[in-house]
Amino acid sequence: MWWRIQALLIKEFLSLLKDKKSRFVLIVPPLVQLFLLSYAATYDLNQLPIAIYNEDRGSAARDLIARFNGAPAFREVLRIERQEQIAAAQDSKQVLMVLHIGQSFSRDLLGGRQLAPVQILLDGRDSNTAQIALGYARNVISQFNSDWARQHNQTGPPAELRVRAWFNPNLESRWFIVPGIVGLLTLVVTMTVAALSVAREREQGTFDQLLVTPFTPAEILIGKAIPGLIIGVAEASFSIFMVVFWFQVPLLGSLAALYIGIVLYVFSVIGAGLMISSLSVTQQQGLLGGFLVIVPGVILSGYATPIENMPELVQQLTFVNPLRYFLIIIRGVFLEGLGIADLIDQYWPLALIGLFCLSCAGLLFRKRMY
Amino acid sequence: MTAIAADAAPAPLTFKSVSKRFAAGDRVVSALRDVSLSLPLGQVTALVGPDGAGKTTLLRLAAGLLLPDSGSIASFGLDTATAGAQLHQLIGYMPQRFGLYEDLSVLENLNLYADLYGISPQDRQQRFAELMRMTNLQKFNQRLAGQLSGGMKQKLGLACTLLNRPKLLLLDEPSVGVDPLSRRELWQIIESLVGQFGTTVLLSTAYMDEAERCQQVVLLDSGEILHQDAPAGFHRLAEACSYQLSSPVLGKRMLQQRLQMHADLIDSVVQGDAVRAVARPASWPDWMAIFDTAEQVRITSVPPRLEDAFIMLLLARHDEKLPVETVCFVSGNGSRFLATEQPAVIEVEQVDRWFGNFQAVKKLSFEVRHGEIFGLLGANGAGKTTTFRMLCGLLPASNGRLRVAGLDLRTAAAQARARLGYMSQKFSLYGQLSVRQNLQFFSHAYGLRHKLRLQRIAWAFQEFDLTEFADTNSVDLPLGYKQRLALACALMHEPEILFLDEPTSGIDPLARREFWNRINSLAAQGVTILVTTHFMEEAEYCDRLLIMREGDILAAGTPAEIRSRSQTAEQAPAETMEEAFIRLLELTGASAE
Amino acid sequence: MSVASQRLLGLIRKEFLQVLRDPSSLAIAFAMPVFLLLLFGYGVSLDARRVPIGLVIEHVSPASRSFSAGFDYSDYFQAHYFRDMREARQALLTRKINAIVHLQADFDQRLTGSEPAPIQVIVNGVDANTARLTSGYVQGVFEAWLNARAAWQGQEAPQPVQLAARVWYNSALRSRNFLVPGLIAVIMTLIGALLTALVMAREWERGTMEALISTPVSVREVLLGKLIPYYLLGMGGMLLSISMAVFLFQVPLVGSLWVLLVAGTLFLLAALGMGLLISIAAKNQFVAGQIAIVVTFLPAFILSGFIFNIDSMPWAVQLFTHLVAARYFVAILQTVFLAGNIWEVILPNALALLLMASAFLALALWRAPRRLE
C-alpha cells in the first residue's frame, strides 16, 4: 500500500510544483501577506498626528505639551490658535486628536483647590484608534499628575497603580499579531491546496481515471492529504523562522508543543479543504468554497478581535474553528512559554475536527457524488 | 502590375509567403512556413492534414486573430493586419470550440450575435426564421446552449456565424464530436449557403469524406502546403493504386493483417466485409505471392479516394510505410477464437439510469464476450457515455444489473479494477507531468513492481514511440501523442478488458489507422474491448455493435447485420455504416435528438 | 439606435443573463456582502465591554470595598473575586480573566502612610491591544475612586489634572459604526475586482473571447460591456450594504446619500479597471482569482485604514497605501456616514479615486488584446 501512496504523492507534488503559475501562487502570496500583515496590522499607535490648542501661558501647560510631544505615540502636526480651527482640523482628518488646555489650567493647578481640566477631542470615525489614543493620553496625564505631586511636595495620592503586563511587558501588539499570521497563512495556503485538489482532477477528467485504477478511496484520500500536510507544515516552519529571526518575537515555549499543534492544525484544515473539494465540481466552486470558509475562519478566530467581545452565540460558533485553537497554541508557546501538557485542551478539538472532516470527505469520495 | 491587380476583383483570401512561429515552453515551434495560398471566390475549400500541421493557426491568421511573423494576408483586398471592424464584417469565423455562451439559451445566443453584427430588428426575424429552418433548432429555442448535444451546438455556432451573411466563412473542424445526422445537416447548410449567396468557405476537417465534397482541398503538413488541388486532382495522384479484396475463407481481419505485411501496400482498411488496400504508386503488387488460391481472394480495382492520396502524400514525405502495429503483452496468451463460443465478460441486464426526471438509459441489456471488440454507437446524447460510465463503476445504475468479469465494479474490491484498462475521451492525463512521470505514476497505480514495472515502462516507450517526448509535459503533446500516451497508460498492466470512450475523436486518419491496428492486435490476443464512438467508419472494426438512441437500443449485431437491416423495399442495403445509421434513424422516424 | 449602441446593449444583456444564471456570480455579488456584513456587524467588536477582571482583596475594609465597588458598577468590567493570588493567577493563565487587581492585607494602613499604597495590577499582555484597553479602564476606575475619596474627605484632588475626553462623530465609540461603513469598501472591491477578473478570464477559458473578437465588436465595446453590468451590480451591492448598515445596524448616515453614490461610482470604476487589468494579464480563472485576492481584497482589508490605523504604519507601508483605492474610499465612507459632507475630506479623496479610475481604465483599454496574442 505504501509504495502506491508514494506514487500518488509524487504525482501530487509534481502537479502542484512543476507549473510556474501554481508554484507562484503557493509561494509569493503567503510571503507578501507575511510582510504586509506583520508591518501593517498593528494596534500600537505610532506618531499619531495630533493638534494642540493651548490657551494657557503658564509653564505647567508647556510642561504637559512637552510630555505629549515626547511620547512616541503622538506627533504634533498643528498648533491651533482659535477655537474655530479645531473643527476644521478634525473634519479634514488632518489630526485624529486635539489636546485642549484651557486658560485657567496653570492657575487651577497651582491654586490646588480646583481640578485643572484638560480636554481631549477625538475623531470617532475610527473608534478603535480613538479609544487606543485615549488610553495613551490618559497614561501621559497620570504620569504628569504623579510627577507634579512629587515636585510640589504635596501629599501625593494615597495610593498608586503598579501595572505589570505578563508575557509581553511592553505591550507590543506585534508580538500578538505576528505569531497569529503563521496560523492565518497556513490556513490560506493549505485550504487552497486541499480545496482545489479534487476539483482540479474532476475538471481535467483525471479523477475518473484515478477511480478506475486499483486505488482504494482511503489511499486516494491519504495521497491527497499528505502533500497538503507537508506543504502546510513547511509553510508554517518558514513563517515561524521569519517571526523569530526577522520580527524578533521571543519564542519561550517548547518547539515540540508548537509542532504538535501545527501538525494537528494543518490536519484539520486539510480535512475541511478536502471536504469542500469533494463537494465541488469545478475549481471556481472549490475556490469560492475555500474563501467562504477562510473569511469567517479568520474573523471568528480571535486573530484581530478578541473572542470575548463577540456575542454569546457567535462565541459558540468559534468552537468549530481550527484557527481559534491554533492561535491559542502558537501565542501560548511563543509568549507564555507553554508546554505540551498545558495545551492538551487545544490539541484534542483540532484532532477531532480533522478526523470528522476527513471521514466526511472519504464518505463523499466513496459515494462519488455524481 | 498595379493596373492588373486593380482590374481583377480581389480574392476572398490570399496568403503571401506567410510564416508564423510560437513559443512552446522553451522551444520555438514553426506553425506555418512560407505559406502562399489563394482561395477562389464562391467555393468550398477543405484544409486537411495531420494533427499539429498548422490548420488552426492558418484559420486564425485568416480571421485576423493572429498576425503573421512575415508575409501578408489579405481578404477581399483588405490587409488583416490593418483592417479592423471592416474585415470582421466580411468574415465569419467559427473556432474549434465555438464560443457559445453555454449559460445562455439558443435564442439569447442568436440575439447576442445579431446585436454584435448590428442586424436590425426587422432583418433579424427573417434571418432567424431562415436559420432555424436550416438548423432544425426551432424546438430548442429556449434551451440553454450548454444543454444541447454536440451536433446541435455546432449547428447553433454556425447559425450565429452566418447571421451576418459573411462573404468569407472560416470554420475550424466544424464536425468534430458531431454525429452523422447532424454532420449531414451541417453540410447541407454550408452547401446551400454557397449556392444562395456565393459565400467562399474555408474549413478544416479530419474527415476525408467531407473533403471529398469540397471544390478545393489544401493538404497541410508541418506548416507547409503539401498539395492544393480539386479532389479529382488528388484522385489522379492515387490513380490505379486502390483495390478491394475479399475472401470468404480468410475473413476481413485476417485479410487485412496479411496485406499489412506487404511492402508494396501502404494502406489497408476494413470496409464492409471487404478490405480496401492502396498500393505504392507505380507498383504492381504481386497478389499471387501474398495469397493462396485456396483462400479464394477476390481482387477488384476500385476508383481512388481522397484519403488514399492523403496517406500516399504524407507517407511519401515522411518516407515510411504505415507501421504495422502488433501490441505484444509480456504474458500475451491465447489466440483469437470465434467470439460466440466465448463466455460473456460484460453483462448488462435491464439497466436504467435516471438523471432527475430524465431517463438517460432505458432497460438496456447486452453482453460482450471474451476477446470481442464491441462498439457502442449513437448520436450525442443517446446514452452511450452514461452506459460506459456505469460499466466502469463511475456511476451507479438506477435499476438493473451490471457485471464486468462477474463483478459489479462499484462495489468490487479495488484489486478487481486492476483487470481493466480505461481511456476517456479527453485523454485524461496529468498535464503537468511529463510522459515518463505519467507512465511511472500509472505503473504504480496498477500495482506493478520491480522488474516488471521497468519492463512495462520501457515497453510503452518503445511500442508507442514516445521516447522523443519522454520529458515533455503531457499537456504540450500533439493530440495524436496524447492519445498514444493515454492508451499506453491504460495498457500498462496488461488488462483483460479495455474500456475506450471516443478514443479517436479529433484524430487524423493516419493516427486513427495506427490506433485501430493496435486495438485489433490486442483483441487477437484475447483482450475484450468495449469502445464508444460516433465515427461510423470505425464501427467496421468492431465484431459486434450496439447502436443507441435516446437511451434505447436502435440496432444491435455485427456490422454486416446492421447494414442489411437498413435494407428496405426501395433501397438496397447501405454500403457504409454511416449510411446505414442514418437510414435506421430515419426508418424509426427519429430526428437528430 | 446606432449599430455601436446596439452591440453594446447586446453585450450588456448577455452579461446580465449570465450573472442571473451563474450561482457563483450571484453568490459573490449578493450573498457575500450580506454574509460579510452580518459577520462583521454582529460577530466583530473591538469594544471591550464587560472585561472579566479578577479582584484579590486580602483584607476587606471600607476603603477596599469602596474601591472594588468601582469595578462592580462599571460597564467595562465583570468583576470576579478571588481569595488569594494563586487562584487568580491560575484564572489569568487559563484566560478566565484578563487582568488581576490586587489589594494587599495592609492596604488600609498604607493608605494613610507617607508613601502611596500600592495597588498591583497584572494584565495578560498576550493580546497587547486588549491589555492596553483594560489597563486604561482600570486607571479610569482608580482615578475616579481617588477623586471621590478626596472629595468625601474634603481634601484637595490628588489628581490635579483631569482628563475630559470628548469624542466627535461617534460619541459612543461603537466600533460597528466605523467597521460597517469601511466594510462597504471591501465588499465593493469584491464585486468590482474579483468578479470582473473571474468573468473575463472565464471568457478566455471557454473560448467565447475568440468568437467575440472575430465579430465587428471593438475592444472598447467589449470592455464597456463588462464595465456597465458590473458597475450596476456593484452599485446594487452598495445600496444593499448601505441599507443594511442604516436599517439593520443603526449606523447613522449623517452626510448625503448622493455623495456616497458619486464616491462609490468613482471607486467602483477604479476597482473594475483593476479587475479588467488582472483578467487581461491572467486569462485563467484560477490565477486571476488568486491575483485578485492578493492585490485587491487583502489590501482593501488591511491597508485601507478599515481596521488598522494607517498613520501608525511604517512609512514605507504608508506610502504604499496610497496605491490602494480602498484607502480613499474608506475615508470618504467613514466621514460621510459619521461626520457628514465634509468637503475637505471628500474632495481630495474623490480626486485620488478619479485619477486611479482613469489610470486603470486607460491601461486596460491600452493593454486589452485585439487579437489572440
Side-chain angles (χ1 to χ4, degrees):
Chain A
M1 177 169 155
W2 172 240
W3 46 270
R4 276 223 304 263
I5 291 178
Q6 197 187 331
L8 276 174
L9 294 188
I10 292 171
K11 175 219 59 166
E12 208 70 28
F13 273 113
L14 283 173
S15 41
L16 271 175
L17 299 176
K18 225 177 145 186
D19 177 42
K20 222 190 297 170
K21 276 181 182 162
S22 69
R23 213 162 44 210
F24 172 88
V25 163
L26 275 183
I27 295 168
V28 176
L31 266 180
V32 172
Q33 290 171 54
L34 180 64
F35 281 90
L36 206 67
L37 285 162
S38 304
Y39 279 118
T42 167
Y43 291 124
D44 301 339
L45 293 190
N46 183 21
Q47 305 279 306
L48 191 78
I50 63 168
I52 291 171
Y53 177 29
N54 183 12
E55 292 183 295
D56 185 56
R57 301 194 175 271
S59 64
R62 277 203 302 279
D63 183 24
L64 185 62
I65 289 167
R67 281 166 186 266
F68 268 90
N69 276 327
F74 301 114
R75 176 169 51 105
E76 184 190 345
V77 294
L78 184 70
R79 187 56 70 104
I80 284 174
E81 306 294 340
R82 296 184 316 277
Q83 182 83 29
E84 308 84 73
Q85 284 175 290
I86 297 180
Q90 285 277 51
D91 286 348
S92 64
K93 286 202 148 193
Q94 192 185 359
V95 298
L96 272 158
M97 186 176 105
V98 178
L99 174 69
H100 180 191
I101 302 173
Q103 281 171 347
S104 61
F105 177 75
S106 294
R107 206 172 53 232
D108 289 344
L109 198 58
L110 286 167
R113 295 280 11 141
Q114 266 179 313
L115 288 176
V118 166
Q119 200 180 31
I120 279 187
L121 298 160
L122 291 156
D123 181 351
R125 276 173 282 186
D126 181 349
S127 66
N128 189 45
T129 309
Q131 214 156 13
I132 299 167
L134 181 61
Y136 277 95
R138 200 175 261 147
N139 277 343
V140 173
I141 303 246
S142 97
Q143 192 61 44
F144 176 87
N145 271 338
S146 55
D147 288 354
W148 175 270
R150 201 162 298 129
Q151 280 164 13
H152 292 78
N153 264 335
Q154 286 183 346
T155 39
E160 67 177 7
L161 285 184
R162 291 186 186 161
V163 180
R164 271 195 303 145
W166 280 4
F167 313 125
N168 183 2
N170 296 325
L171 289 181
E172 283 188 50
S173 67
R174 184 154 293 156
W175 285 18
F176 174 66
I177 295 281
V178 173
I181 291 171
V182 177
L184 203 85
L185 292 185
T186 312
L187 175 70
V188 173
V189 172
T190 319
M191 182 64 83
T192 324
V193 168
L196 290 177
S197 65
V198 179
R200 182 170 46 214
E201 293 219 26
R202 280 241 169 91
E203 220 170 70
Q204 293 172 352
T206 46
F207 202 61
D208 284 353
Q209 190 86 47
L210 214 55
L211 289 176
V212 296
T213 60
F215 284 119
T216 61
E219 284 171 334
I220 296 176
L221 203 61
I222 296 170
K224 289 267 166 216
I226 291 180
L229 201 66
I230 292 173
I231 287 173
V233 172
E235 194 101 32
S237 304
F238 174 76
S239 314
I240 287 169
F241 180 85
M242 295 303 285
V243 170
V244 173
F245 292 101
W246 181 272
F247 294 103
Q248 312 250 313
V249 178
L251 175 59
L252 301 177
S254 100
L255 215 53
L258 186 56
Y259 267 86
I260 293 177
I262 290 175
V263 170
L264 286 172
Y265 170 60
V266 173
F267 173 68
S268 63
V269 173
I270 287 173
L274 284 178
M275 207 163 89
I276 293 170
S277 201
S278 45
L279 279 171
S280 42
V281 181
T282 62
Q283 293 190 61
Q284 191 180 345
Q285 286 175 5
L287 205 67
L288 198 71
F291 198 74
L292 281 176
V293 170
I294 290 172
V295 173
V298 172
I299 292 170
L300 300 180
S301 65
Y303 165 69
T305 65
I307 292 176
E308 304 93 76
N309 292 2
M310 299 171 188
E312 196 60 36
L313 192 76
V314 180
Q315 287 196 32
Q316 302 289 326
L317 270 177
T318 64
F319 286 111
V320 295
N321 183 359
L323 185 55
R324 172 208 162 101
Y325 301 102
F326 183 66
L327 287 180
I328 296 176
I329 294 172
I330 192 163
R331 285 170 179 161
V333 172
F334 258 92
L335 304 176
E336 297 173 43
L338 298 186
I340 296 173
D342 306 309
L343 292 167
I344 297 294
D345 279 351
Q346 317 299 330
Y347 291 151
W348 69 260
L350 283 177
L352 201 68
I353 294 170
L355 275 177
F356 174 79
C357 291
L358 224 50
S359 345
C360 280
L363 227 72
L364 291 174
F365 271 4
R366 215 184 308 249
K367 288 242 175 222
R368 291 179 197 164
M369 284 312 288
Y370 21 80
Chain B
M1 263 307 271
T2 45
I4 298 165
D7 265 352
L13 186 66
T14 47
F15 274 56
K16 277 194 196 128
S17 355
V18 171
S19 294
K20 182 74 193 166
R21 286 176 294 277
F22 290 108
D26 36 3
R27 292 178 303 151
V28 173
V29 179
S30 274
L32 286 184
R33 301 173 211 204
D34 199 27
V35 166
S36 294
L37 175 77
S38 178
L39 289 193
L41 191 73
Q43 291 195 354
V44 183
T45 305
L47 195 56
V48 297
D51 298 316
K55 299 189 293 268
T56 298
T57 307
L58 193 147
L59 286 166
R60 285 179 170 171
L61 282 165
L65 294 177
L66 294 174
L67 290 181
D69 293 330
S70 63
S72 69
I73 303 165
S75 179
F76 297 104
L78 295 169
D79 191 327
T80 56
T82 50
Q86 210 188 347
L87 181 77
H88 293 306
Q89 281 290 2
L90 293 172
I91 294 181
Y93 167 66
M94 180 162 124
Q96 207 161 31
R97 265 189 323 161
F98 181 75
L100 288 173
Y101 288 91
E102 307 231 322
D103 37 10
L104 260 54
S105 73
V106 170
L107 202 60
E108 285 161 355
N109 266 297
L110 279 171
N111 265 318
L112 169 65
Y113 279 91
D115 283 335
L116 294 182
Y117 285 116
I119 295 165
S120 68
Q122 301 89 295
D123 290 354
R124 198 173 293 198
Q125 289 320 314
Q126 184 226 331
R127 287 197 201 179
F128 280 8
E130 184 185 297
L131 287 167
M132 285 295 186
R133 186 177 44 74
M134 278 205 254
T135 52
N136 276 324
L137 284 170
Q138 304 94 319
K139 276 192 288 177
F140 309 105
N141 254 344
Q142 301 304 322
R143 195 182 284 195
L144 295 190
Q147 288 164 7
L148 294 176
S149 72
M152 290 199 284
K153 272 186 202 163
Q154 290 299 75
K155 281 192 285 182
L156 176 58
L158 188 60
C160 288
T161 320
L162 292 181
L163 273 169
N164 194 36
R165 295 197 178 142
K167 296 231 171 340
L168 172 63
L169 183 61
L170 304 165
L171 306 171
D172 196 1
E173 307 253 5
S175 47
V176 162
V178 173
D179 59 84
L181 210 59
S182 308
R183 205 150 73 92
R184 203 165 67 165
E185 286 170 341
L186 271 178
W187 273 93
Q188 279 162 358
I189 300 172
I190 293 170
E191 279 164 358
S192 80
L193 202 72
V194 176
Q196 213 179 332
F197 302 107
T199 310
T200 309
V201 182
L202 176 64
L203 60 89
S204 66
T205 180
Y207 296 84
M208 291 305 130
D209 59 330
E210 292 186 350
E212 292 281 6
R213 304 175 74 150
C214 301
Q215 280 98 33
Q216 280 278 314
V217 177
V218 177
L219 172 58
L220 210 59
D221 183 43
S222 327
E224 291 173 53
I225 292 183
L226 219 54
H227 197 74
Q228 179 181 3
D229 207 338
F234 278 87
H235 293 166
R236 271 194 293 283
L237 291 175
E239 200 78 67
C241 296
S242 311
Y243 303 91
Q244 191 171 40
L245 298 90
S246 61
S247 156
V249 180
L250 283 174
K252 56 185 180 185
R253 209 165 277 142
M254 198 60 181
L255 203 58
Q256 190 196 14
Q257 265 182 24
R258 291 278 196 84
L259 291 169
Q260 279 172 349
M261 311 300 271
H262 199 278
D264 273 344
L265 293 169
I266 51 177
D267 184 32
S268 59
V269 282
V270 176
Q271 210 179 35
D273 292 324
V275 174
R276 192 189 151 88
V278 179
R280 211 173 274 285
S283 71
W284 302 100
D286 181 6
W287 301 113
M288 289 316 199
I290 310 173
F291 301 111
D292 220 306
T293 38
E295 286 164 348
Q296 303 172 34
V297 179
R298 276 189 53 211
I299 302 163
T300 42
S301 194
V302 289
R305 296 186 309 181
L306 185 61
E307 190 156 346
D308 302 340
F310 177 89
I311 286 169
M312 205 175 270
L313 284 166
L314 286 177
L315 289 182
R317 180 173 157 97
H318 296 289
D319 194 29
E320 60 185 78
K321 184 178 157 63
L322 202 65
V324 179
E325 298 301 337
T326 44
V327 183
C328 284
F329 280 181
V330 176
S331 52
N333 55 347
S335 55
R336 200 169 164 80
F337 303 99
L338 273 173
T340 44
E341 292 159 14
Q342 293 294 319
V345 176
I346 299 173
E347 296 161 275
V348 177
E349 271 174 49
Q350 301 284 308
V351 166
D352 283 325
R353 173 70 207 190
W354 293 85
F355 291 106
N357 299 325
F358 171 67
Q359 192 173 12
V361 172
K362 299 170 186 164
K363 292 262 171 284
L364 190 67
S365 299
F366 66 90
E367 53 179 42
V368 180
R369 296 178 184 284
H370 180 82
E372 231 180 354
I373 303 180
F374 189 88
L376 213 50
L377 276 73
N380 305 89
K384 53 186 196 301
T385 299
T386 307
T387 310
F388 186 83
R389 291 173 63 83
M390 285 194 288
L391 281 171
C392 296
L394 291 169
L395 197 69
S398 305
N399 285 310
R401 213 173 75 107
L402 292 142
R403 286 280 178 276
V404 175
L407 297 163
D408 181 348
L409 285 181
R410 259 189 88 69
T411 50
Q415 279 313 315
R417 290 197 290 270
R419 297 170 64 182
L420 61 100
Y422 169 88
M423 180 172 151
S424 78
Q425 52 181 310
K426 288 193 282 181
F427 311 137
S428 311
L429 297 156
Y430 291 97
Q432 294 309 320
L433 268 60
S434 71
V435 169
R436 188 192 308 281
Q437 287 160 343
N438 264 298
L439 289 171
Q440 280 169 346
F441 172 69
F442 281 103
S443 66
H444 274 304
Y446 284 111
L448 303 181
R449 305 197 65 180
H450 310 304
K451 216 176 131 210
L452 179 62
R453 193 171 82 86
L454 297 176
Q455 216 176 348
R456 291 302 290 169
I457 292 176
W459 164 84
F461 271 120
Q462 192 221 330
E463 177 67 41
F464 292 91
D465 217 3
L466 290 165
T467 323
E468 186 194 343
F469 295 105
D471 296 313
T472 308
N473 282 359
S474 65
V475 68
D476 297 327
L477 288 177
L479 192 64
Y481 279 89
K482 271 188 195 152
Q483 184 222 33
R484 285 189 195 184
L485 177 58
L487 188 61
C489 291
L491 293 177
M492 207 37 132
H493 54 302
E494 304 174 37
E496 296 162 37
I497 306 162
L498 194 55
F499 287 99
L500 305 167
D501 190 11
E502 308 263 348
T504 53
S505 92
I507 300 285
D508 70 77
L510 275 179
R512 218 151 51 207
R513 277 180 176 59
E514 234 180 88
F515 175 82
W516 278 104
N517 284 339
R518 284 203 177 92
I519 296 303
N520 277 333
S521 86
L522 283 171
Q525 288 169 73
V527 179
T528 309
I529 293 156
L530 183 89
V531 56
T532 71
T533 181
H534 46 231
F535 225 125
M536 293 302 138
E537 197 183 300
E538 292 183 344
E540 299 285 2
Y541 292 102
C542 301
D543 293 308
R544 284 196 306 134
L545 330 156
L546 179 74
I547 301 184
M548 293 185 73
R549 185 180 62 90
E550 291 173 15
D552 241 332
I553 297 177
L554 178 70
T558 64
E561 280 166 14
I562 288 180
R563 272 198 312 276
S564 67
R565 295 247 320 254
S566 67
Q567 185 171 14
T568 55
E570 311 93 71
Q571 285 175 299
E575 285 206 2
T576 63
M577 210 58 210
E578 177 150 352
E579 226 181 296
F581 175 80
I582 293 174
R583 266 204 232 161
L584 278 170
L585 279 180
E586 284 167 351
L587 280 177
T588 50
S591 69
E593 189 58 355
Chain C
M1 190 167 60
S2 79
V3 173
S5 63
Q6 184 187 352
R7 283 200 292 258
L8 192 55
L9 274 178
L11 285 173
I12 293 170
R13 193 176 308 125
K14 173 216 90 182
E15 206 64 46
F16 271 118
L17 287 169
Q18 280 191 297
V19 169
L20 286 179
R21 290 191 186 138
D22 179 6
S24 65
S25 298
L26 280 178
I28 296 179
F30 295 109
M32 191 81 99
V34 172
F35 174 68
L36 282 177
L37 276 169
L38 288 177
L39 206 60
F40 269 79
Y42 286 123
V44 174
S45 168
L46 292 161
D47 316 334
R49 289 272 185 278
R50 305 191 60 73
V51 175
I53 192 163
L55 294 171
V56 181
I57 294 167
E58 293 182 355
H59 175 77
V60 179
S61 66
S64 70
R65 200 172 291 134
S66 72
F67 178 74
S68 63
F71 290 95
D72 287 338
Y73 296 121
S74 163
D75 266 351
Y76 293 121
F77 294 110
Q78 191 187 351
H80 298 268
Y81 288 88
F82 294 92
R83 262 171 307 163
D84 53 34
M85 273 306 276
R86 208 183 43 78
E87 267 180 46
R89 274 167 208 264
Q90 196 53 40
L92 187 67
L93 280 176
T94 53
R95 279 175 208 78
K96 292 201 175 67
I97 53 173
N98 279 4
I100 304 171
V101 177
H102 181 201
L103 298 187
Q104 278 160 326
D106 56 356
F107 179 67
D108 266 34
Q109 285 115 59
R110 292 180 71 169
L111 263 181
T112 50
S114 55
E115 282 295 298
I119 299 172
Q120 204 182 19
V121 177
I122 300 169
V123 293
N124 185 338
V126 171
D127 181 350
N129 188 43
T130 306
R132 199 178 292 117
L133 286 178
T134 307
S135 71
Y137 296 149
V138 171
Q139 182 102 31
V141 170
F142 169 70
E143 280 169 15
W145 174 73
L146 275 186
N147 286 341
R149 182 184 158 85
W152 185 67
Q153 292 179 338
Q155 293 172 349
E156 63 187 64
Q159 297 281 314
V161 178
Q162 201 181 30
L163 190 63
R166 263 186 59 203
V167 180
W168 288 13
Y169 314 127
N170 179 13
S171 47
L173 285 176
R174 272 172 88 212
S175 63
R176 193 185 277 175
N177 284 4
F178 91 96
L179 282 177
V180 170
L183 197 57
I184 294 176
V186 176
I187 287 167
M188 285 172 69
T189 307
L190 266 178
I191 300 178
L194 186 63
L195 200 53
T196 322
L198 285 178
V199 294
M200 254 323 235
R202 190 175 57 191
E203 297 238 15
W204 282 108
E205 243 176 48
R206 296 194 184 162
T208 45
M209 196 52 110
E210 191 176 344
L212 215 56
I213 57 179
S214 67
T215 67
V217 162
S218 71
V219 176
R220 204 166 44 93
E221 285 159 1
V222 172
L223 291 186
L224 274 177
K226 289 277 170 212
L227 215 57
I228 295 172
Y230 290 100
Y231 166 73
L232 293 175
L233 212 60
M235 290 312 270
M238 182 175 176
L239 282 174
L240 176 76
S241 310
I242 292 175
S243 25
M244 272 181 83
V246 173
F247 298 112
L248 189 62
F249 298 117
Q250 324 264 293
V251 179
L253 175 55
V254 180
S256 98
L257 185 63
W258 295 109
V259 176
L260 276 189
L261 293 182
V262 170
T265 298
L266 291 174
F267 173 69
L268 208 51
L269 287 178
L272 287 165
M274 225 160 135
L276 288 175
L277 262 183
I278 290 169
S279 64
I280 286 165
K283 290 191 188 175
N284 153 335
Q285 291 189 70
F286 176 62
V287 177
Q290 292 285 342
I291 296 180
I293 288 177
V294 172
V295 308
T296 65
F297 185 64
L298 283 175
F301 237 109
I302 296 156
L303 299 177
S304 64
F306 158 55
I307 293 185
F308 300 108
N309 182 255
I310 292 178
D311 291 307
S312 299
M313 294 175 188
W315 67 270
V317 180
Q318 282 195 41
L319 216 61
F320 184 72
T321 61
H322 285 283
L323 295 175
V324 178
R327 177 208 160 119
Y328 306 108
F329 192 44
V330 166
I332 296 179
L333 278 167
Q334 289 180 347
T335 299
V336 175
F337 259 99
L338 301 174
N341 296 343
I342 294 167
W343 300 107
E344 294 97 307
V345 178
I346 296 167
L347 290 180
N349 284 307
L351 188 70
L353 284 177
L354 183 67
L355 281 176
M356 287 190 87
S358 355
F360 279 132
L361 289 175
L363 224 70
L365 190 62
W366 176 55
R367 295 292 303 161
R370 282 155 178 80
R371 302 179 198 280
L372 285 178
E373 298 173 291

